[in-house]
Amino acid sequence: MNSNSINVLGYSGNNSQFVVKTLNANLRISENSKYPELEGPNPYEYILAGFAGCINALGQQVATEQGITLRSLQIEITGNLKEPKKGKSRPGFNNIEITLKPAAATSLETLQEWLKEVQRRSPVYDNLVNNTPVDVTLFKEYSYN
């Protein structure tokens, strides 16, 4: 099994816009009233957008492998977000609903098999429905004046 390391670096300075650098792009995270001109998706929208992007990429690939011609693919994802009170319950999405509308001249059964394969191969789907270990390291930066 191949393993690829993906790295992003996020930064902000003195209450400025939060920017995440990826290999090919800079992503701006919204919810910073100091810089409304730099408005972008919030962190939850990025999660759902990444999920939709993964489904699209795999959906196209699996369709080609299975001989399905997708004329188009619409993906709508809704995450129902729960923001609990301090210490009360788990924060995050209560559930995520996905509606796929593939335009293809094939049977419903074929599309159901296509979807099962997309779900089976999606790393984002796997990370959202299964526990993934997360290691956190904190460094204290000292200023010497």
Side-chain angles (χ1 to χ4, degrees):
M1 181 174 167
N2 291 340
S3 178
N4 295 318
S5 181
I6 297 171
N7 185 9
V8 300
L9 172 65
Y11 61 92
S12 67
N14 197 19
N15 203 18
S16 65
Q17 182 72 33
F18 187 70
V19 176
V20 177
K21 288 187 164 289
T22 70
L23 182 62
N24 298 312
N26 289 341
L27 309 172
R28 297 187 185 280
I29 309 293
S30 74
E31 300 184 358
N32 187 327
S33 59
K34 187 174 179 182
Y35 297 98
E37 70 277 7
L38 299 176
E39 191 68 18
N42 67 43
Y44 307 109
E45 291 168 326
Y46 269 115
I47 289 171
L48 298 181
F51 199 1
C54 185
I55 292 169
N56 176 66
L58 277 169
Q60 301 290 340
Q61 181 179 348
V62 170
T64 299
E65 292 169 1
Q66 293 180 347
I68 300 169
T69 301
L70 283 179
R71 294 186 307 277
S72 66
L73 176 57
Q74 180 179 322
I75 303 166
E76 181 179 355
I77 302 182
T78 302
N80 297 305
L81 190 60
K82 172 179 52 174
E83 297 182 34
K85 303 288 186 222
K86 183 178 177 180
K88 295 290 182 185
S89 61
R90 180 183 165 269
F93 293 115
N94 286 333
N95 69 312
I96 296 174
E97 300 168 5
I98 304 170
T99 302
L100 298 174
K101 297 179 182 177
T106 191
S107 69
L108 179 59
E109 292 79 19
T110 299
L111 289 174
Q112 288 170 333
E113 289 302 314
W114 164 81
L115 178 56
K116 284 180 190 174
E117 184 64 10
V118 170
Q119 286 176 288
R120 186 188 73 75
R121 290 168 54 179
S122 171
V124 177
Y125 181 86
D126 182 77
N127 284 147
L128 288 173
V129 300
N130 295 303
N131 288 329
T132 300
V134 176
D135 297 318
V136 178
T137 303
L138 174 65
F139 288 96
K140 169 83 169 91
E141 185 172 328
Y142 291 94
S143 296
Y144 296 101
N145 295 333

